[in-house]
Amino acid sequence: MRHNNQVKNFISELAKAKRFNGKENSLFFSAVPKNTRRGVLIAGLGDKKKFNAEKLRRVGSALFRKLNSLGFESASVELDTLLAGGVSYTDAAAALVEGMRLKEYRFDHYKSKDKKEEKPNTLKRVILTVHDKKTREAATKEMTATESIVESANVTRRLGDEPANVMTPRRLAQEARKMA
């Protein structure tokens, strides 16, 4: 995997220059010269011994926030570079997707346009790359299940965020019937 060695060398150079320390939730972005729409975003995972799926969920959230703030519409994540501490490919893929999709949620239905502090979500597509076909199939299946869970969580959040005078018991029952 020549590509992974290039990434490791790049991170080593950043560490030597004290531009990236690899601490949990630290991010480093470098634009590709002469192209502001492409770049490399490196996420710090923290101590390898303490790494788990929950930390990867947080990394997914941080990645979404950063990519969105930079205005990217799509991104590719090398899943091989995010494995540590015994987290499997399928768990890593699910945790990353969960963190990103949960971060994507926002409830600004009642905010006026001039009071919407954040710009709209620009990130529409994230591709997780896995180099082994069998692993890719298993990760895809797990991500599909995770998407359903996250979508359900975000619907629940939306229903709970509505004010009581709007989300009356009758309206809540109507919404439940629509989903059934």
Side-chain angles (χ1 to χ4, degrees), residues 50-63:
K50 296 179 183 176
F51 186 74
N52 58 34
E54 179 55 35
K55 291 188 183 205
L56 194 49
R57 236 178 246 100
R58 287 188 223 136
V59 167
S61 175
L63 287 173

Side-chain angles (χ1 to χ4, degrees), residues 34-102:
K34 299 181 183 178
N35 188 342
T36 58
R37 303 302 298 160
R38 294 188 63 158
V40 175
L41 180 60
I42 300 171
L45 303 177
D47 185 354
K48 188 175 184 175
K49 294 175 188 167
K50 296 179 183 176
F51 186 74
N52 58 34
E54 179 55 35
K55 291 188 183 205
L56 194 49
R57 236 178 246 100
R58 287 188 223 136
V59 167
S61 175
L63 287 173
F64 181 87
R65 182 179 62 244
K66 184 67 173 179
L67 290 165
N68 197 54
S69 74
L70 292 169
F72 282 92
E73 293 177 9
S74 64
S76 176
V77 177
E78 288 277 339
L79 198 56
D80 295 328
T81 62
L82 294 175
L83 296 179
V87 177
S88 70
Y89 276 99
T90 55
D91 289 345
L96 193 69
V97 166
E98 187 175 339
M100 293 181 115
R101 294 282 286 132
L102 288 172

Side-chain angles (χ1 to χ4, degrees), residues 2-12 42 78 81:
R2 195 174 133 259
H3 183 69
N4 279 346
N5 288 334
Q6 289 174 331
V7 170
K8 287 178 184 176
N9 291 339
F10 182 61
I11 293 171
S12 294
I42 300 171
E78 288 277 339
T81 62

Side-chain angles (χ1 to χ4, degrees), residues 105 154-162 167 172 175-176 179:
Y105 174 81
N154 285 338
V155 166
T156 302
R157 291 164 87 183
R158 181 184 59 79
L159 295 174
D161 285 344
E162 287 284 355
M167 191 53 63
L172 183 59
E175 293 290 329
M179 289 183 270

